[in-house]
């Protein structure tokens, strides 16, 4: 089992920045990749960014490319999401997720086995 805990959310004005953190514990050696997803009220959960744990290769949703950066610190078992130039439409609950080896690790919910409880990000105009 893998346990994920997010932190770093909050309220910010449009154009501002936030950094989200996600700390993993448990059988972290089983993690192939990690990602960030978000869900706004009344909307489906969407994939934001993903990173392969070993190689560091990343992929981003078009809506956040050039503004968000996903990274990880393997030694600390921590995943990050640096969010710059935030927009009101980025307002959502942000969840980190982890996938075991064997997953294709795309930005689909079904690719991930473990989920954190989420951290709220609110961007005001």
């Amino acid at each position: 089992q893998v346990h994920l805990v997010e932190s770093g959310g909050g309220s910010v004005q449009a154009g501002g920045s936030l950094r989200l953190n996600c700390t993993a514990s448990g059988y972290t050696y089983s993690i192939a990749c990690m990602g960030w997803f978000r869900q706004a009220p009344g909307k489906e959960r969407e994939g934001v960014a993903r990173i392969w744990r070993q190689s560091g290769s990343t992929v981003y949703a078009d809506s956040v490319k050039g503004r968000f950066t996903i990274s990880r610190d393997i030694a600390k078992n921590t995943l990050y999401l640096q969010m710059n130039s935030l927009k009101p439409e980025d307002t959502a609950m942000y969840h980190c997720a982890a996938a075991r080896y064997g997953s294709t690790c795309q930005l689909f919910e079904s690719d991930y086995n473990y989920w954190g409880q989420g951290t709220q990000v609110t961007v005001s105009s």
Side-chain angles (χ1 to χ4, degrees):
Q1 271 288 7
V2 172
H3 186 54
L4 303 172
V5 179
E6 303 97 334
S7 62
S11 297
V12 66
Q13 289 193 324
S17 298
L18 283 172
R19 189 179 82 160
L20 305 184
N21 310 306
C22 173
T23 301
S25 60
Y27 294 118
T28 57
Y29 62 86
S30 67
I31 296 173
C33 65
M34 297 185 75
W36 287 99
F37 287 74
R38 66 185 182 186
Q39 187 166 20
K43 294 188 176 182
E44 293 187 356
R45 189 175 293 183
E46 64 169 340
V48 174
R50 179 270 292 148
I51 187 167
W52 285 97
R53 187 167 178 266
Q54 291 300 322
S55 71
S57 176
T58 59
V59 69
Y60 295 91
D62 288 343
S63 57
V64 305
K65 278 181 183 176
R67 300 188 298 123
F68 291 11
T69 302
I70 188 171
S71 61
R72 86 280 187 244
D73 186 326
I74 296 176
K76 295 181 178 180
N77 285 317
T78 301
L79 178 73
Y80 305 99
L81 186 68
Q82 178 66 43
M83 304 185 295
N84 299 328
S85 302
L86 282 161
K87 305 175 181 179
E89 51 263 44
D90 294 318
T91 295
M93 182 71 76
Y94 284 71
H95 299 265
C96 81
R100 294 190 296 259
Y101 283 96
S103 171
T104 58
C105 287
Q106 298 184 66
L107 287 177
F108 301 124
E109 285 188 74
S110 57
D111 280 359
Y112 295 80
N113 307 102
Y114 307 105
W115 293 85
Q117 292 297 309
T119 185
Q120 179 68 36
V121 171
T122 302
V123 184
S124 58
S125 57

